[in-house]
Amino acid sequence: MDRLLEGRPFLLGEALTLADITAGTSLYRYFELQIERPALPQVERWYRTLARRAAYREHVMIPFEELRGRLID
């Protein structure tokens, strides 16, 4: 993914697409885990770009604690 993002702001080019939203949803969880990660400068830049978007913060960046118990009553 890091190589794919070289020279382009989003996964498929110049514009945000469903590919970015889908991958960004998974990567939010990945970046929230307290683990060591290899340096991925392009992925990190891309992720920061997503995180600056209000809709991404509101609908994707939901803390784990808020999700617990929502599906099972």
Side-chain angles (χ1 to χ4, degrees):
M1 189 173 189
D2 207 55
R3 281 184 280 153
L4 178 67
L5 285 163
E6 284 182 20
R8 62 174 81 173
F10 297 101
L11 290 173
L12 299 180
E14 297 298 317
L16 179 76
T17 67
L18 185 56
D20 297 288
I21 295 166
T22 303
T25 301
S26 297
L27 284 181
Y28 168 66
R29 301 291 178 219
Y30 173 74
F31 280 114
E32 287 296 302
L33 294 172
Q34 300 301 314
I35 59 172
E36 284 191 41
R37 288 181 271 288
L40 299 168
Q42 300 304 320
V43 172
E44 292 164 9
R45 175 204 41 84
W46 168 81
Y47 180 75
R48 284 191 306 273
T49 300
L50 290 179
R52 285 193 297 267
R53 302 176 72 87
Y56 184 81
R57 288 191 311 272
E58 181 181 345
H59 298 290
V60 175
M61 298 178 83
I62 300 169
F64 292 116
E65 294 76 35
E66 290 184 28
L67 297 175
R68 290 191 207 290
R70 278 191 168 181
L71 299 177
I72 301 173
D73 290 331

Coordinates of all heavy atoms in Angstrom, one line a residue:
M1 N 0.8 -1.2 0.0 CA 0.0 0.0 0.0 C 0.9 1.3 0.0 O 0.5 2.2 -0.6 CB -0.9 0.0 1.2 CG -2.0 1.0 1.2 SD -3.1 0.7 2.6 CE -4.3 1.9 2.2
D2 N 2.0 1.2 0.7 CA 2.9 2.3 0.8 C 3.4 2.7 -0.7 O 3.4 3.8 -1.1 CB 4.1 2.1 1.7 CG 4.6 3.3 2.3 OD1 3.8 4.1 2.9 OD2 5.8 3.5 2.2
R3 N 3.8 1.6 -1.4 CA 4.3 1.9 -2.8 C 3.1 2.4 -3.7 O 3.4 3.2 -4.5 CB 4.8 0.6 -3.4 CG 6.3 0.3 -2.9 CD 6.8 -0.9 -3.6 NE 6.3 -2.0 -2.8 CZ 6.1 -3.2 -3.3 NH1 6.4 -3.5 -4.6 NH2 5.6 -4.2 -2.6
L4 N 1.9 1.9 -3.5 CA 0.8 2.3 -4.3 C 0.5 3.8 -4.1 O 0.1 4.5 -5.0 CB -0.5 1.5 -3.9 CG -1.8 1.9 -4.6 CD1 -1.7 1.5 -6.1 CD2 -2.9 1.1 -3.9
L5 N 0.7 4.3 -2.9 CA 0.5 5.7 -2.6 C 1.6 6.7 -3.0 O 1.4 7.9 -2.9 CB 0.1 5.8 -1.1 CG -1.2 5.3 -0.7 CD1 -1.3 5.1 0.8 CD2 -2.3 6.3 -1.1
E6 N 2.7 6.2 -3.4 CA 3.8 7.1 -3.8 C 3.3 7.9 -5.0 O 2.9 7.4 -6.0 CB 5.0 6.2 -4.2 CG 5.8 5.7 -3.0 CD 7.0 5.0 -3.4 OE1 7.5 5.2 -4.6 OE2 7.5 4.2 -2.6
G7 N 3.5 9.2 -4.9 CA 3.1 10.1 -6.0 C 1.7 10.4 -6.2 O 1.3 11.0 -7.2
R8 N 0.8 9.9 -5.3 CA -0.6 10.2 -5.4 C -1.2 10.4 -4.1 O -0.8 9.8 -3.1 CB -1.3 9.1 -6.2 CG -1.2 7.7 -5.5 CD -2.1 6.7 -6.2 NE -1.3 6.1 -7.3 CZ -1.8 5.1 -8.0 NH1 -2.9 4.5 -7.7 NH2 -1.1 4.6 -9.0
P9 N -2.2 11.3 -4.0 CA -2.8 11.6 -2.7 C -3.7 10.5 -2.2 O -3.9 10.3 -1.0 CB -3.5 12.9 -2.9 CG -3.7 13.0 -4.4 CD -2.6 12.2 -5.0
F10 N -4.4 9.8 -3.1 CA -5.3 8.8 -2.7 C -5.0 7.5 -3.4 O -4.2 7.4 -4.3 CB -6.8 9.2 -2.9 CG -7.2 10.4 -2.2 CD1 -7.2 11.7 -2.8 CD2 -7.5 10.3 -0.8 CE1 -7.5 12.8 -2.0 CE2 -7.9 11.4 -0.1 CZ -7.9 12.7 -0.7
L11 N -5.6 6.4 -3.0 CA -5.3 5.1 -3.5 C -5.4 4.9 -5.0 O -4.6 4.3 -5.6 CB -6.2 4.0 -2.8 CG -5.9 3.7 -1.3 CD1 -6.9 2.8 -0.7 CD2 -4.5 3.2 -1.2
L12 N -6.4 5.6 -5.6 CA -6.6 5.4 -7.0 C -6.3 6.7 -7.8 O -6.6 6.8 -9.0 CB -8.1 5.0 -7.3 CG -8.5 3.7 -6.7 CD1 -10.0 3.4 -7.0 CD2 -7.6 2.6 -7.1
G13 N -5.6 7.7 -7.1 CA -5.2 8.8 -7.9 C -5.5 10.1 -7.1 O -5.2 10.2 -5.9
E14 N -6.0 11.1 -7.8 CA -6.2 12.5 -7.2 C -7.4 12.7 -6.4 O -7.4 13.6 -5.6 CB -6.2 13.5 -8.4 CG -4.9 13.5 -9.2 CD -3.7 13.9 -8.4 OE1 -3.8 14.9 -7.6 OE2 -2.6 13.3 -8.5
A15 N -8.4 11.8 -6.5 CA -9.6 12.0 -5.7 C -9.9 10.9 -4.7 O -9.5 9.7 -5.0 CB -10.8 12.1 -6.7
L16 N -10.6 11.2 -3.7 CA -11.0 10.2 -2.7 C -12.1 9.3 -3.3 O -12.9 9.8 -4.1 CB -11.7 11.0 -1.5 CG -12.2 10.1 -0.4 CD1 -11.1 9.5 0.5 CD2 -13.2 10.9 0.5
T17 N -11.9 8.0 -3.1 CA -12.9 7.1 -3.7 C -13.3 6.1 -2.6 O -12.8 6.1 -1.5 CB -12.3 6.3 -4.8 OG1 -11.2 5.4 -4.3 CG2 -11.7 7.1 -5.9
L18 N -14.2 5.2 -3.0 CA -14.7 4.2 -2.0 C -13.5 3.3 -1.6 O -13.5 2.8 -0.4 CB -15.8 3.3 -2.7 CG -16.5 2.3 -1.8 CD1 -17.1 2.9 -0.6 CD2 -17.5 1.6 -2.6
A19 N -12.5 3.1 -2.4 CA -11.3 2.4 -2.0 C -10.7 3.0 -0.8 O -10.3 2.3 0.2 CB -10.4 2.3 -3.2
D20 N -10.5 4.3 -0.7 CA -9.9 5.0 0.4 C -10.8 4.8 1.7 O -10.3 4.6 2.7 CB -9.8 6.5 0.1 CG -8.8 6.7 -1.1 OD1 -7.6 6.5 -0.9 OD2 -9.3 7.1 -2.2
I21 N -12.1 4.9 1.5 CA -13.0 4.8 2.6 C -12.9 3.4 3.2 O -12.8 3.3 4.4 CB -14.4 5.2 2.2 CG1 -14.4 6.7 1.8 CG2 -15.4 4.9 3.4 CD1 -15.7 7.1 1.1
T22 N -13.0 2.4 2.4 CA -12.9 1.1 2.9 C -11.6 0.7 3.5 O -11.6 0.2 4.7 CB -13.1 0.1 1.7 OG1 -14.4 0.4 1.0 CG2 -13.2 -1.3 2.1
A23 N -10.5 1.1 2.9 CA -9.2 0.8 3.5 C -9.0 1.7 4.8 O -8.5 1.2 5.8 CB -8.1 1.1 2.5
G24 N -9.5 2.9 4.7 CA -9.3 3.8 5.9 C -10.1 3.3 7.1 O -9.6 3.5 8.2
T25 N -11.2 2.6 6.9 CA -11.9 2.1 8.0 C -11.1 1.0 8.8 O -11.0 1.0 10.0 CB -13.3 1.5 7.5 OG1 -14.0 2.5 6.9 CG2 -14.1 0.9 8.7
S26 N -10.5 0.1 8.0 CA -9.6 -0.9 8.6 C -8.4 -0.3 9.2 O -8.0 -0.7 10.3 CB -9.2 -1.9 7.6 OG -10.3 -2.6 7.1
L27 N -7.8 0.7 8.6 CA -6.6 1.3 9.1 C -6.8 2.1 10.3 O -5.9 2.3 11.1 CB -5.8 2.1 8.0 CG -5.1 1.2 7.0 CD1 -4.4 2.0 6.0 CD2 -4.2 0.2 7.7
Y28 N -8.0 2.7 10.5 CA -8.2 3.4 11.8 C -8.0 2.4 13.0 O -7.3 2.7 13.9 CB -9.7 3.9 11.8 CG -10.0 4.4 13.2 CD1 -9.4 5.5 13.8 CD2 -11.0 3.7 14.0 CE1 -9.7 5.9 15.1 CE2 -11.3 4.1 15.2 CZ -10.6 5.2 15.8 OH -10.9 5.6 17.1
R29 N -8.6 1.2 12.9 CA -8.4 0.2 13.9 C -6.9 -0.2 14.1 O -6.4 -0.3 15.2 CB -9.2 -1.0 13.6 CG -10.7 -0.7 13.5 CD -11.3 -0.3 14.8 NE -12.7 0.0 14.7 CZ -13.3 1.0 15.3 NH1 -12.7 1.7 16.1 NH2 -14.6 1.2 15.1
Y30 N -6.3 -0.3 13.0 CA -4.8 -0.7 13.0 C -4.0 0.4 13.7 O -3.2 0.1 14.6 CB -4.4 -0.9 11.6 CG -2.9 -1.1 11.4 CD1 -2.3 -2.3 11.7 CD2 -2.1 0.0 10.9 CE1 -0.9 -2.4 11.6 CE2 -0.7 -0.2 10.7 CZ -0.1 -1.4 11.0 OH 1.2 -1.6 10.9
F31 N -4.3 1.6 13.4 CA -3.5 2.7 14.0 C -3.9 3.0 15.5 O -3.1 3.6 16.2 CB -3.6 4.0 13.2 CG -2.7 4.0 12.0 CD1 -3.3 4.0 10.7 CD2 -1.3 4.0 12.1 CE1 -2.4 4.1 9.6 CE2 -0.5 4.1 11.0 CZ -1.1 4.1 9.8
E32 N -5.0 2.5 15.9 CA -5.4 2.6 17.3 C -4.8 1.5 18.2 O -4.8 1.7 19.4 CB -6.9 2.6 17.4 CG -7.6 3.9 16.9 CD -7.2 5.1 17.7 OE1 -7.4 5.1 19.0 OE2 -6.7 6.0 17.1
L33 N -4.4 0.4 17.6 CA -3.7 -0.6 18.4 C -2.4 -0.2 19.0 O -1.6 0.5 18.3 CB -3.5 -1.9 17.6 CG -4.8 -2.6 17.1 CD1 -4.4 -3.7 16.1 CD2 -5.6 -3.1 18.3
Q34 N -2.1 -0.5 20.2 CA -0.9 -0.2 20.8 C 0.2 -1.3 20.5 O 0.5 -2.1 21.3 CB -1.1 -0.1 22.3 CG -2.1 1.0 22.7 CD -1.7 2.4 22.3 OE1 -0.5 2.8 22.4 NE2 -2.6 3.1 21.7
I35 N 0.7 -1.2 19.3 CA 1.6 -2.2 18.8 C 2.8 -1.4 18.1 O 2.6 -0.3 17.6 CB 1.0 -3.2 17.8 CG1 0.4 -2.5 16.6 CG2 0.0 -4.1 18.6 CD1 -0.1 -3.4 15.5
E36 N 3.9 -2.1 17.9 CA 4.9 -1.5 17.1 C 4.6 -1.8 15.6 O 4.1 -2.9 15.3 CB 6.3 -2.2 17.4 CG 6.9 -1.7 18.7 CD 8.3 -2.2 18.8 OE1 9.1 -2.2 17.8 OE2 8.6 -2.6 20.0
R37 N 4.8 -0.8 14.8 CA 4.5 -0.9 13.4 C 5.8 -0.5 12.6 O 6.5 0.4 13.0 CB 3.4 0.0 13.0 CG 2.0 -0.4 13.5 CD 1.0 0.6 13.0 NE 0.8 1.7 13.9 CZ 0.2 1.6 15.1 NH1 -0.2 0.4 15.5 NH2 0.0 2.6 15.9
P38 N 5.9 -1.1 11.4 CA 7.0 -0.6 10.5 C 6.7 0.8 10.0 O 5.5 1.2 9.9 CB 7.0 -1.6 9.4 CG 5.7 -2.2 9.4 CD 5.2 -2.2 10.8
A39 N 7.7 1.5 9.7 CA 7.5 2.9 9.1 C 6.9 2.7 7.7 O 7.4 2.0 6.9 CB 8.8 3.7 9.0
L40 N 5.7 3.4 7.5 CA 5.1 3.4 6.2 C 4.7 4.8 5.9 O 3.6 5.3 6.1 CB 3.8 2.5 6.2 CG 4.0 1.0 6.5 CD1 2.7 0.3 6.9 CD2 4.7 0.4 5.4
P41 N 5.7 5.6 5.5 CA 5.5 7.1 5.4 C 4.3 7.5 4.5 O 3.6 8.4 4.8 CB 6.8 7.6 4.8 CG 7.6 6.4 4.4 CD 7.0 5.2 5.1
Q42 N 4.1 6.8 3.3 CA 3.0 7.1 2.4 C 1.7 6.8 3.0 O 0.7 7.6 2.9 CB 3.2 6.5 1.1 CG 4.5 6.9 0.4 CD 4.6 8.4 0.2 OE1 3.7 9.1 -0.1 NE2 5.8 8.9 0.4
V43 N 1.6 5.6 3.7 CA 0.3 5.2 4.3 C 0.0 6.2 5.5 O -1.1 6.6 5.6 CB 0.4 3.8 4.9 CG1 -0.8 3.5 5.7 CG2 0.5 2.8 3.7
E44 N 1.0 6.6 6.2 CA 0.8 7.5 7.3 C 0.4 8.9 6.8 O -0.5 9.5 7.4 CB 2.1 7.6 8.2 CG 2.4 6.3 8.9 CD 3.8 6.2 9.4 OE1 4.5 7.2 9.4 OE2 4.2 5.1 9.9
R45 N 0.9 9.4 5.8 CA 0.5 10.6 5.2 C -0.9 10.5 4.7 O -1.7 11.4 4.9 CB 1.4 11.0 4.0 CG 1.0 12.2 3.2 CD 1.5 12.3 1.8 NE 1.4 11.1 1.0 CZ 0.4 10.6 0.4 NH1 -0.8 11.2 0.4 NH2 0.4 9.5 -0.4
W46 N -1.2 9.5 4.0 CA -2.6 9.3 3.5 C -3.6 9.2 4.6 O -4.7 9.8 4.6 CB -2.6 8.0 2.6 CG -3.9 7.4 2.3 CD1 -4.7 7.8 1.2 CD2 -4.6 6.3 2.9 NE1 -5.8 7.1 1.2 CE2 -5.8 6.1 2.2 CE3 -4.3 5.5 4.0 CZ2 -6.7 5.2 2.6 CZ3 -5.2 4.6 4.3 CH2 -6.4 4.4 3.6
Y47 N -3.2 8.5 5.7 CA -4.1 8.3 6.8 C -4.4 9.7 7.5 O -5.5 10.0 7.8 CB -3.5 7.3 7.8 CG -4.4 7.2 9.0 CD1 -5.6 6.4 8.9 CD2 -4.1 7.8 10.2 CE1 -6.4 6.3 10.0 CE2 -4.9 7.6 11.3 CZ -6.1 6.9 11.2 OH -6.9 6.8 12.3
R48 N -3.3 10.5 7.6 CA -3.5 11.9 8.2 C -4.5 12.7 7.3 O -5.3 13.4 7.8 CB -2.1 12.6 8.3 CG -1.3 12.1 9.5 CD -0.1 13.0 9.7 NE 0.7 13.2 8.6 CZ 1.7 12.4 8.2 NH1 2.0 11.3 8.9 NH2 2.4 12.7 7.1
T49 N -4.4 12.5 6.0 CA -5.3 13.2 5.1 C -6.7 12.8 5.4 O -7.6 13.6 5.4 CB -4.9 12.9 3.6 OG1 -3.6 13.4 3.4 CG2 -5.8 13.6 2.7
L50 N -6.9 11.5 5.5 CA -8.3 11.0 5.8 C -8.8 11.6 7.2 O -9.9 12.0 7.3 CB -8.3 9.5 5.9 CG -8.2 8.7 4.6 CD1 -8.3 7.2 4.9 CD2 -9.3 9.1 3.6
A51 N -7.9 11.5 8.2 CA -8.3 11.9 9.5 C -8.6 13.4 9.6 O -9.3 13.8 10.6 CB -7.1 11.6 10.5
R52 N -8.2 14.2 8.6 CA -8.5 15.6 8.6 C -9.9 15.9 8.1 O -10.5 17.0 8.3 CB -7.5 16.4 7.8 CG -6.2 16.7 8.5 CD -5.4 17.7 7.8 NE -5.0 17.3 6.4 CZ -3.8 16.7 6.1 NH1 -3.0 16.4 7.0 NH2 -3.6 16.4 4.9
R53 N -10.5 14.9 7.5 CA -11.9 15.0 7.0 C -12.9 14.9 8.1 O -12.9 13.9 8.8 CB -12.1 14.0 5.9 CG -11.1 14.2 4.7 CD -11.3 13.1 3.7 NE -12.5 13.3 2.9 CZ -12.6 14.1 1.8 NH1 -11.5 14.6 1.3 NH2 -13.7 14.2 1.2
A54 N -13.8 15.8 8.2 CA -14.8 15.8 9.3 C -15.7 14.5 9.2 O -16.0 13.9 10.2 CB -15.7 17.0 9.2
A55 N -16.1 14.1 8.0 CA -17.0 12.9 7.9 C -16.2 11.7 8.3 O -16.8 10.8 9.0 CB -17.5 12.8 6.5
Y56 N -14.9 11.6 8.0 CA -14.1 10.4 8.4 C -14.1 10.4 10.0 O -14.2 9.3 10.6 CB -12.8 10.5 7.8 CG -11.9 9.3 8.1 CD1 -12.0 8.1 7.4 CD2 -10.9 9.3 9.1 CE1 -11.3 7.0 7.6 CE2 -10.1 8.2 9.4 CZ -10.3 7.1 8.6 OH -9.5 6.0 8.9
R57 N -13.8 11.5 10.6 CA -13.7 11.5 12.0 C -15.0 11.2 12.7 O -15.0 10.4 13.7 CB -13.2 12.9 12.5 CG -11.8 13.2 12.2 CD -11.3 14.5 12.9 NE -12.2 15.6 12.8 CZ -12.1 16.5 11.8 NH1 -11.2 16.3 10.8 NH2 -12.9 17.5 11.7
E58 N -16.1 11.7 12.1 CA -17.4 11.4 12.7 C -17.9 10.0 12.5 O -18.5 9.4 13.5 CB -18.4 12.4 12.1 CG -19.8 12.2 12.7 CD -20.8 13.2 12.1 OE1 -20.4 14.1 11.4 OE2 -22.0 12.9 12.3
H59 N -17.7 9.4 11.4 CA -18.3 8.1 11.1 C -17.3 6.9 11.2 O -17.8 5.8 11.3 CB -18.9 8.2 9.7 CG -20.0 9.2 9.6 ND1 -21.2 9.0 10.2 CD2 -20.1 10.4 9.0 CE1 -22.0 10.1 10.0 NE2 -21.3 10.9 9.2
V60 N -16.1 7.2 11.1 CA -15.1 6.0 11.1 C -14.3 6.0 12.4 O -14.1 5.0 13.0 CB -14.1 6.1 9.9 CG1 -13.1 5.0 10.0 CG2 -14.9 6.0 8.6
M61 N -13.9 7.2 12.9 CA -13.0 7.2 14.0 C -13.8 7.2 15.3 O -13.8 8.1 16.2 CB -12.1 8.5 14.0 CG -11.2 8.5 12.8 SD -10.2 10.0 12.6 CE -8.9 9.6 13.7
I62 N -14.5 6.1 15.5 CA -15.3 5.8 16.7 C -14.5 5.0 17.6 O -14.1 3.9 17.3 CB -16.6 5.1 16.3 CG1 -17.4 6.0 15.3 CG2 -17.5 4.8 17.5 CD1 -18.5 5.3 14.6
P63 N -14.3 5.4 18.9 CA -13.5 4.7 19.8 C -14.2 3.3 20.1 O -15.4 3.1 20.0 CB -13.6 5.5 21.1 CG -13.9 6.9 20.6 CD -14.7 6.7 19.4
F64 N -13.3 2.3 20.3 CA -13.7 0.9 20.5 C -14.8 0.8 21.7 O -15.7 0.1 21.6 CB -12.6 0.0 20.9 CG -11.6 -0.2 19.8 CD1 -10.3 0.2 19.9 CD2 -11.9 -0.9 18.7 CE1 -9.4 0.0 18.9 CE2 -11.1 -1.1 17.6 CZ -9.8 -0.6 17.8
E65 N -14.6 1.6 22.7 CA -15.5 1.6 23.9 C -16.9 1.9 23.5 O -17.8 1.3 24.0 CB -15.0 2.5 25.0 CG -13.7 2.2 25.6 CD -12.5 2.5 24.7 OE1 -12.5 3.5 24.0 OE2 -11.5 1.7 24.7
E66 N -17.1 2.8 22.6 CA -18.4 3.2 22.1 C -19.1 2.0 21.4 O -20.3 2.0 21.3 CB -18.4 4.4 21.3 CG -18.1 5.7 22.1 CD -18.2 6.9 21.3 OE1 -18.9 6.9 20.3 OE2 -17.4 7.9 21.6
L67 N -18.4 1.1 20.8 CA -18.9 0.0 20.0 C -19.3 -1.2 20.8 O -20.1 -2.0 20.4 CB -18.0 -0.4 18.9 CG -17.6 0.7 17.9 CD1 -16.6 0.2 16.9 CD2 -18.9 1.1 17.1
R68 N -18.7 -1.3 22.0 CA -18.9 -2.5 22.8 C -20.4 -2.6 23.3 O -21.0 -1.6 23.7 CB -18.1 -2.5 24.1 CG -16.6 -2.7 23.8 CD -15.9 -2.9 25.1 NE -14.5 -2.5 25.1 CZ -13.5 -3.1 24.4 NH1 -13.8 -4.1 23.7 NH2 -12.3 -2.7 24.5
G69 N -21.0 -3.7 23.1 CA -22.4 -3.9 23.5 C -23.4 -3.4 22.6 O -24.6 -3.6 22.8
R70 N -23.1 -2.8 21.5 CA -24.1 -2.2 20.6 C -24.8 -3.3 19.8 O -26.0 -3.1 19.5 CB -23.4 -1.3 19.6 CG -23.2 0.1 20.1 CD -22.9 1.0 19.0 NE -22.9 2.4 19.4 CZ -22.7 3.4 18.6 NH1 -22.4 3.2 17.4 NH2 -22.7 4.6 19.1
L71 N -24.1 -4.3 19.4 CA -24.8 -5.4 18.6 C -25.4 -6.5 19.4 O -26.3 -7.2 18.9 CB -23.7 -6.0 17.7 CG -23.1 -5.0 16.7 CD1 -22.0 -5.7 15.8 CD2 -24.2 -4.4 15.8
I72 N -25.0 -6.6 20.7 CA -25.6 -7.6 21.5 C -26.2 -7.0 22.7 O -25.6 -6.3 23.5 CB -24.5 -8.6 22.0 CG1 -23.8 -9.3 20.8 CG2 -25.0 -9.7 22.9 CD1 -22.6 -10.1 21.2
D73 N -27.5 -7.2 22.9 CA -28.2 -6.6 24.0 C -28.3 -7.6 25.2 O -28.4 -8.7 25.1 CB -29.7 -6.2 23.6 CG -29.6 -5.0 22.7 OD1 -28.7 -4.2 22.8 OD2 -30.6 -4.9 21.9

